[in-house]
């Protein structure tokens, strides 16, 4: 694995900053997303809210569906693999998807190991709930990190929890000496070299995005103000009453996240947002964020 | 007192941060630009990499086309990748409305999808010198046609990838990802001696 290859992967993540990545289930939705200003689309057969409703094993999407979406839009197309399922990842690489999400939204294929992402030319994004998880994924080769949140819930509370946790753990590292960093590395279960790097940079060495429960322009603004460099919107767009207006609004909300007057006008008269779930009412074994190690 | 330029970085979407780091390294003042009025106080503008469809969408909603075209009449603009696409005259995609600042036609994502993104070395001709640099191409566009007033500063596989027209420079790759400062210096006429003077004052 050459260093330049990793730089090229992180390079694409840099280009996606300040944009919105939208989950789409067919070429028609992908068209709506690109027209609304999405910076990339995530092609998947069932968005998280539907996976929750329907249950069953969730796998990588049908290559036919991914290809149809690649044909429809000119922006980057991402797709998901099950945690640890490197064969699905090899197939997505053969399809030339632009980014692979090793995602807790699908049913995990390996309860112990994640994919060794350095082996791939395609960059990977992985979810995290805390800094240790983020750094383990970066150690395996992830070129972008996102919060896990609670996918398909339409509820922002978990994404906020995860972003705040990562941010406060990073801040803590910046106050520590080398002796403390080694103990902290053990505590976090994270590679020492990456812990040192984060302590020095005061931020993750790869872009840090937000995902899992974003449903409104205000949610996008909240995550940006908490330090996210862009947002993924999964079920929030295509489970809402008027996907195109909502998609346009969230794209603008990410750019003008710190301007409340503008956010008020962007949010004005959007039709109904997705229904949403109370996290306390989701049994622990059904919480997607618990997947990943 | 030394006159210090203030360079804007268009920050609707894209790799704004990497350009900001380059300008900081060059000891330049910079302004993050998200409102067209902010152009009024600036001496130059960077249009960063990102997605040109997204940039067009946000430029339309926030009325950027006319002010940037006006700005370009007497101030320099530097564009990288999607920035070059926005500076061109014609683009092969209906969702992209370029500014027509440099007489170019470009083909988006012409090097292919992300698995075909790459880093390679190439020679650049600037101010009478030729210098070899590392160039990172990410889902990069290709220049398919150039006007007669456009000067080619660098080529990759015999195809132009850095061009200059008047005070404006556009590149199909990302010097900001490799900490390469020569294009920022060239576009904004950043004089090394002035910066040295300043740093010696500071010291």
């Amino acid at each position: 694995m050459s260093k330049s290859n990793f730089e090229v992967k992180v390079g694409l993540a840099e280009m996606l900053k300040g944009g919105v990545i939208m989950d789409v289930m067919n070429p028609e939705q992908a068209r709506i997303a690109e027209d609304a200003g999405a910076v990339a689309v995530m092609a998947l057969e069932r968005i998280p809210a539907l996976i929750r409703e329907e249950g069953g094993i969730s796998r990588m999407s049908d290559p036919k569906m991914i290809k149809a979406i690649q044909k429809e839009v000119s922006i980057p197309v991402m797709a998901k693999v099950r945690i640890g399922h490197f064969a699905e990842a090899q197939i997505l690489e053969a399809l030339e998807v632009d980014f692979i999400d090793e995602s807790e939204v699908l049913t995990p294929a390996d309860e112990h190991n994640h994919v060794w992402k350095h082996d791939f030319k395609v960059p990977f994004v992985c979810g995290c709930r805390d800094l240790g998880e983020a750094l383990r994924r970066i150690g395996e080769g992830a070129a972008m990190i996102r919060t896990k949140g609670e996918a398909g819930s339409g509820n922002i509370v978990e994404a906020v929890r995860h972003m705040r946790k990562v941010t406060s753990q990073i801040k803590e590292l910046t106050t520590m000496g080398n002796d403390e960093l080694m103990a902290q590395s053990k505590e976090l279960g994270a590679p020492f070299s990456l812990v040192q790097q984060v302590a020095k940079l005061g931020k993750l060495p790869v872009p840090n995005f937000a995902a899992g429960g974003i449903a409104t322009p205000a949610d996008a603004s909240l995550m940006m103000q908490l330090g996210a460099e862009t947002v993924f919107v999964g079920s929030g767009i295509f489970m809402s009453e008027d996907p195109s207006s909502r998609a346009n609004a969230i794209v603008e909300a990410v750019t003008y996240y710190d301007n409340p007057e503008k956010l008020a006008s962007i949010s004005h008269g959007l039709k109904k947002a997705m229904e949403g779930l109370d996290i306390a009412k989701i049994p622990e074994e059904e919480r997607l964020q618990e997947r990943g190690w | 007192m030394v006159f210090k330029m203030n360079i804007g970085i268009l920050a609707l979407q894209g790799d704004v941060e990497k350009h900001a780091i380059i300008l900081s390294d060059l000891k330049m003042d910079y302004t993050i630009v998200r409102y067209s009025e902010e152009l009024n106080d600036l001496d130059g503008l960077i249009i960063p990499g990102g997605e040109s469809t997204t940039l067009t969408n946000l430029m339309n909603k926030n009325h950027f086309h006319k002010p940037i075209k006006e700005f370009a009449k007497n101030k320099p603009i530097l564009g990288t990748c999607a920035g070059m696409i926005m500076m061109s005259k014609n683009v092969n995609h209906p969702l992209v409305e370029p500014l027509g600042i440099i007489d170019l036609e470009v083909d988006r994502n012409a090097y292919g999808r992300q698995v075909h993104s790459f880093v390679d070395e190439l020679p650049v001709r600037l101010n009478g010198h030729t210098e070899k640099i590392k160039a990172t191409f990410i889902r990069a566009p290709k220049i398919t046609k150039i006007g007669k007033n456009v000067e080619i500063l660098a080529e990759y596989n015999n195809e132009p990838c850095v061009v200059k027209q008047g005070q404006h420079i556009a590149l199909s790759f990302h010097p900001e990802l490799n900490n390469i400062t020569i294009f920022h210096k060239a576009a904004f006429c950043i004089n090394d001696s002035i910066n040295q003077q300043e740093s010696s004052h500071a010291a």
Side-chain angles (χ1 to χ4, degrees), chain A residues 15 17 74 248 256 262, chain B residues 13 17 34 61-62 108:
Chain A
M15 300 311 142
K17 281 185 178 175
S74 65
N248 269 286
Y256 297 100
K262 187 127 184 157
Chain B
Q13 188 274 317
E17 192 190 352
R34 289 178 300 161
K61 284 178 187 155
N62 298 286
R108 286 174 78 225

Side-chain angles (χ1 to χ4, degrees), chain A:
Chain A
M1 172 57 42
S2 74
K3 192 161 169 269
S4 67
N5 194 349
F6 189 67
E7 281 169 3
V8 169
K9 294 183 193 178
V10 178
L12 179 57
E14 292 287 342
M15 300 311 142
L16 299 172
K17 281 185 178 175
V20 180
I21 300 155
M22 302 182 191
D23 277 6
V24 297
M25 294 183 287
N26 52 51
E28 294 72 37
Q29 291 184 349
R31 167 76 6 246
I32 291 170
E34 186 176 54
D35 287 350
V39 80
V41 291
M42 177 76 71
L44 75 173
E45 272 162 354
R46 296 188 295 171
I47 54 180
L50 296 177
I51 293 175
R52 264 183 204 292
E53 266 174 49
E54 294 165 10
I57 301 293
S58 259
R59 309 178 177 92
M60 175 189 85
S61 298
D62 184 342
K64 184 179 170 190
M65 172 263 188
I66 294 171
K67 279 192 159 169
I69 288 173
Q70 284 175 325
K71 210 175 144 203
E72 181 64 35
V73 295
S74 65
I75 53 180
V77 175
M78 306 186 173
K80 290 181 193 289
V81 298
R82 286 178 265 178
I83 289 171
H85 206 315
F86 54 84
E88 284 187 347
Q90 289 160 352
I91 292 168
L92 289 187
E93 181 162 73
L95 290 169
E96 300 193 352
V97 304
D98 294 289
F99 236 104
I100 296 176
D101 185 1
E102 186 181 18
S103 177
E104 68 282 3
V105 165
L106 305 185
T107 312
D110 188 326
E111 294 190 318
H112 203 63
N113 309 295
H114 280 249
V115 172
W116 183 250
K117 293 166 269 289
H118 286 295
D119 282 347
F120 291 81
K121 258 199 107 173
V122 178
F124 277 71
V125 52
C126 290
C128 75
R129 285 166 300 176
D130 55 42
L131 183 59
E133 199 173 8
L135 297 184
R136 287 194 293 281
R137 299 295 85 80
I138 296 167
E140 292 155 358
M144 184 205 296
I145 289 295
R146 57 170 174 78
T147 56
K148 283 182 171 172
E150 187 57 34
S153 71
N155 189 338
I156 198 69
V157 67
E158 295 301 300
V160 168
R161 186 200 312 283
H162 301 155
M163 187 56 79
R164 281 202 183 271
K165 177 94 184 175
V166 170
T167 310
S168 73
Q169 287 178 311
I170 291 174
K171 267 190 213 150
E172 210 184 335
L173 285 190
T174 61
T175 66
M176 290 179 168
N178 271 322
D179 46 354
E180 293 169 291
L181 288 179
M182 182 56 89
Q184 196 62 15
S185 159
K186 184 186 167 192
E187 183 91 356
L188 292 169
F192 182 59
S193 61
L194 287 175
V195 169
Q196 276 181 309
Q197 205 180 336
V198 171
K200 200 174 149 203
L201 287 172
K203 56 183 294 208
L204 292 180
V206 303
N208 184 14
F209 292 9
I214 294 153
T216 67
D219 289 345
S221 161
L222 177 66
M223 295 314 298
M224 294 297 286
Q225 292 190 57
L226 287 174
E229 294 175 298
T230 197
V231 300
F232 283 82
V233 186
S235 314
I237 288 170
F238 290 100
M239 292 296 278
S240 74
E241 204 179 334
D242 181 359
S244 174
S245 311
R246 187 160 294 267
N248 269 286
I250 295 178
V251 166
E252 224 180 342
V254 166
T255 302
Y256 297 100
Y257 67 93
D258 57 353
N259 180 339
E261 288 81 21
K262 187 127 184 157
L263 290 166
S265 94
I266 291 167
S267 309
H268 192 89
L270 288 181
K271 290 184 185 157
K272 213 163 159 268
M274 72 177 286
E275 204 60 57
L277 294 167
D278 183 348
I279 303 295
K281 294 199 176 115
I282 308 172
E284 212 163 300
E285 63 275 13
E286 286 177 25
R287 288 185 202 162
L288 301 173
Q289 59 177 285
E290 304 297 331
R291 298 164 165 181
W293 359 99

